Amino acid sequence: MHEAVYLVHDTGNRRVPPGILISERRANHRPKELHRLRLAATEDVEKARRIHQPVSLLTWEKVTALGYPMRFPPNLIVAKTLLRAVDTGFRTIPFVDEEAARNPEIEDVIVAMLHVDTLAARALALRNRGLVDPVRLMQRVVREQEERRATLVRLQDVAPTIPSIGPALPRAQLERHDRRNPSPGRLP
Amino acid sequence: MNPEEIGIVGRRLQKLSARFLIVGGAAVARAVDSETEDVDLMLAVSDYGRVVRGFAGDPSVQIEAHGPIAGGFLLAGGRRVEFDLLDPSAFSGERSGNEFFDYVLRYRSRPGSEGRYATPPVVWYMRLTVPDWLSYVQKILRDLRAGAPWRWMEVVRHIARRFGTEGKMVSRIENAKEAARMARLLPPDSEDVG
């Protein structure tokens, strides 16, 4: 026996974009067809978001726009409830919070970045202090059980109520990194 | 905003008979409470190279040009005033730099005691039109947080249409909009401009 997760197409909803729902099989004695979600390209993720699936892409463009210039391949943020029904070549970042997976806010981006580059996550938090809600950041870290990674890069500097779990990198090392990789723009 | 320092650089430019417009954070700060210490001035194309050379020969000025941006500082009355000078050709798309300068001068600027200030949407347009535009989205977020309305992007698109840069501008505005949404500076799934 194994656990399997499928999507069931609501027959009342005919506005499903083509190409992302892969028909799996009809369940025994059930009128509804079972599907998996195939997300092979950026456009597929956008299509899935349009039908309110809890997925989104974390891209280097978004992180750079928030003040930390860097490059990395796109990562798929996906709700844990959906994860096993998704076929994708993207690296996945599972989120407990479905709304945060579909419409990530700045704190969600920081939490997701803890999976990609912990030092970048810290830099994002520091460079957006005025925009980050420290309470929501704490709540999101706790909900996704990322206290250990958050503590490693001392996200408590931005959200002091994040529970400290595990070791933290030396403050001097972090501060050296904080000064690196500034936004290169010289325009006003 | 630092009108005194803008005035110091502006007077040096006037001595060289250079035409200039005040752009950047100082121009935005006339509309919203946006903190900036920048002195950013866009020169007429014909004046840009001449001023850079003139400043380079002035012992009280340090200047270094990197393509369309020349940055440096000048010493005046015991003060060190940092500035950036911009060549409008970097922002003029399919048209000439002079056309961009004249357009902003005529239609998109307001007088101030230190000189004419570009309107804030011009500044947003300039930030989004350069190759490393992503680096400037955060400044737009800062302006939004200070109370700048997203509808300024309507003017940005209008300028982009006029200068043939709309093709690239649409996706850049979309990216800025997504960043603003992530920062809760726009409502989710906003149908606002852009």
Side-chain angles (χ1 to χ4, degrees), chain A residues 14-83:
Chain A
R14 302 200 177 279
R15 299 176 60 200
V16 175
I20 59 170
L21 281 182
I22 307 305
S23 181
E24 196 64 19
R25 63 180 171 80
R26 194 178 292 278
N28 289 341
H29 312 296
R30 303 278 175 177
K32 289 181 177 174
E33 212 170 332
L34 303 180
H35 298 275
R36 293 182 62 77
L37 197 57
R38 184 170 63 190
L39 303 175
T42 303
E43 300 76 43
D44 297 338
V45 180
E46 282 313 304
K47 285 179 188 172
R49 290 185 73 234
R50 281 201 289 275
I51 57 169
H52 306 290
Q53 295 305 303
V55 292
S56 59
L57 277 186
L58 175 68
T59 63
W60 68 266
E61 289 97 334
K62 288 178 185 171
V63 173
T64 301
L66 290 171
Y68 192 80
M70 68 183 297
R71 296 260 179 164
F72 60 88
N75 283 239
L76 182 72
I77 302 176
V78 53
K80 277 186 174 164
T81 49
L82 186 65
L83 185 60

Side-chain angles (χ1 to χ4, degrees), chain B residues 26-86:
Chain B
V28 176
R30 284 171 56 92
V32 296
D33 189 16
S34 181
E35 286 179 26
T36 180
E37 297 300 318
D38 298 335
V39 177
D40 301 289
L41 305 164
M42 181 168 68
L43 300 181
V45 174
S46 51
D47 294 332
Y48 179 75
R50 190 170 61 78
V51 166
V52 171
R53 286 191 298 276
F55 273 8
D58 183 335
S60 68
V61 182
Q62 279 284 328
I63 190 166
E64 201 171 327
H66 297 278
I69 301 179
F73 65 88
L74 60 81
L75 302 172
R79 296 174 68 166
R80 175 189 159 112
V81 181
E82 296 188 5
F83 62 84
D84 277 321
L85 305 178
L86 308 175

Side-chain angles (χ1 to χ4, degrees), chain A residues 60-62 64-67 102-107 109 127-128 130-131 133 136 183-188, chain B residues 24-25 40 66 69 71 84 86 91 126-127 130 132 134-139 141 145 175 181-182 184 189:
Chain A
W60 68 266
E61 289 97 334
K62 288 178 185 171
T64 301
L66 290 171
R102 193 177 104 78
N103 280 316
E105 296 185 357
I106 192 162
E107 299 82 9
V109 174
R127 292 178 190 190
N128 291 281
L131 299 172
D133 176 344
R136 185 167 186 275
S183 204
R186 289 190 57 211
L187 278 181
Chain B
D40 301 289
H66 297 278
I69 301 179
D84 277 321
L86 308 175
F91 315 100
M126 292 170 73
R127 288 171 179 166
V130 293
D132 57 343
L134 270 170
S135 308
Y136 300 108
V137 170
Q138 206 185 26
K139 294 197 173 187
L141 299 186
R145 184 164 172 255
N175 186 295
R181 189 203 56 76
M182 288 192 297
R184 291 178 295 276
D189 300 321

Side-chain angles (χ1 to χ4, degrees), chain A residues 67-70 127 177-184:
Chain A
Y68 192 80
M70 68 183 297
R127 292 178 190 190
H177 185 273
D178 294 342
R179 290 190 292 272
R180 281 188 208 143
N181 196 19
S183 204

